[in-house]
Amino acid sequence: MLRVILAEDSVLLRAGLSELLTLGGHRVLAAVGDAPSLLRAVADERPDIVVTDVRMPPGLRDEGLRAALELRSHDPSLPVLVLSQYVATAYATQLFTGASAAGLGYLLKDRVGEVTEFLDALDRVHRGRTVIDPEVVRVLLGPRTANQPLARLTPREREVLALMAEGLNNQALAARLFITEASVVKHASSIFTKLDLDPTEGNRRVLAVLAHLRGQDRTP
């Protein structure tokens, strides 16, 4: 059971998410409708994970996202799952280009309707993984110019990278692509090399997922 703080300005969606989380075996410590209330609730309750919308009062722009970034600046270990109505890569860029992306997730609200996927993503974020919505990944892994690092990847390597972005481990990756775990390791190693990732750095998986985010805001 996870102790969750939920922030969503829509009363109906907030109630629906609260019920979904409760039915999933989790405890909703607080369900709030604006960014200042989110910050206060986290300070008071010290949850296991935060789930927040990007756009919230008072400005209905990116207050939820900025609250999430503030929370992570105070406690980098706090898992945060951010929900967005639309594919907005600028938000994903802001969220994932900090000091650490471990325990961060970015999902489209449509994904909440896939209850099993949503609860699984919640669990993966809580366990310290990085989770990015498949649709966001599809946009981010779209056509690139020849001099961009992603252009060096083969189609299969791009598939592997996209599934890494969903937070899948080697076993799950192999099952999804109907290949062996050894093949996954081989593709991952090639990805790390082509994206010029230092083999001495810690979580190269996360670095690989984020390589195409840093400095590449594609939002119209």
Side-chain angles (χ1 to χ4, degrees):
M1 180 187 75
L2 299 180
R3 300 164 63 254
V4 184
I5 285 181
L6 170 65
E8 164 60 52
D9 67 303
S10 166
V11 174
L12 289 177
L13 184 53
R14 188 164 70 240
L17 282 168
S18 295
E19 183 175 359
L20 188 157
L21 289 165
T22 300
L23 290 174
H26 305 303
R27 180 184 173 195
V28 179
L29 300 175
V32 302
D34 59 76
S37 297
L38 168 59
L39 296 175
R40 289 193 297 269
V42 172
D44 291 341
E45 301 289 349
R46 302 183 64 83
D48 297 321
I49 189 169
V50 168
V51 178
T52 181
D53 188 9
V54 167
R55 297 184 178 185
M56 296 185 65
L60 291 177
R61 295 188 213 175
D62 62 349
E63 283 83 354
L65 176 65
R66 286 192 280 115
L69 293 172
E70 182 176 339
L71 291 170
R72 288 282 292 198
S73 71
H74 292 309
D75 182 4
S77 67
L78 176 66
V80 176
L81 177 58
V82 173
L83 304 178
S84 179
Q85 185 69 43
Y86 309 104
V87 178
T89 57
Y91 294 148
T93 302
Q94 282 184 266
L95 184 65
F96 291 112
T97 54
S100 172
L104 283 177
Y106 182 91
L107 292 181
L108 297 181
K109 288 185 178 179
D110 287 348
R111 200 68 52 194
V112 175
E114 304 292 337
V115 176
T116 301
E117 287 186 32
F118 172 68
L119 293 176
D120 181 58
L122 186 80
D123 178 65
R124 281 183 278 151
V125 170
H126 175 253
R127 287 187 282 118
R129 295 189 183 173
T130 302
V131 176
I132 307 176
D133 191 279
E135 182 62 18
V136 177
V137 173
R138 186 188 67 76
V139 173
L140 290 168
L141 293 181
R144 298 280 171 165
T145 60
N147 63 343
Q148 291 178 309
L150 285 180
R152 306 171 192 167
L153 304 184
T154 67
R156 175 61 92 183
E157 288 166 353
R158 292 164 73 86
E159 285 183 294
V160 170
L161 179 57
L163 293 177
M164 281 183 183
E166 292 184 41
L168 301 185
N169 60 23
N170 285 354
Q171 183 178 12
L173 261 163
R176 184 78 68 88
L177 295 176
F178 301 102
I179 59 178
T180 66
E181 288 188 52
S183 294
V184 171
V185 171
K186 181 179 178 181
H187 288 309
S189 177
S190 179
I191 290 168
F192 300 149
T193 299
K194 290 180 179 180
L195 295 183
D196 300 320
L197 297 178
D198 186 343
T200 64
E201 292 195 56
N203 194 344
R204 289 190 297 163
R205 239 186 202 293
V206 173
L207 291 172
V209 170
L210 300 182
H212 56 288
L213 280 172
R214 300 187 186 279
Q216 298 183 42
D217 180 1
R218 289 165 52 101
T219 302

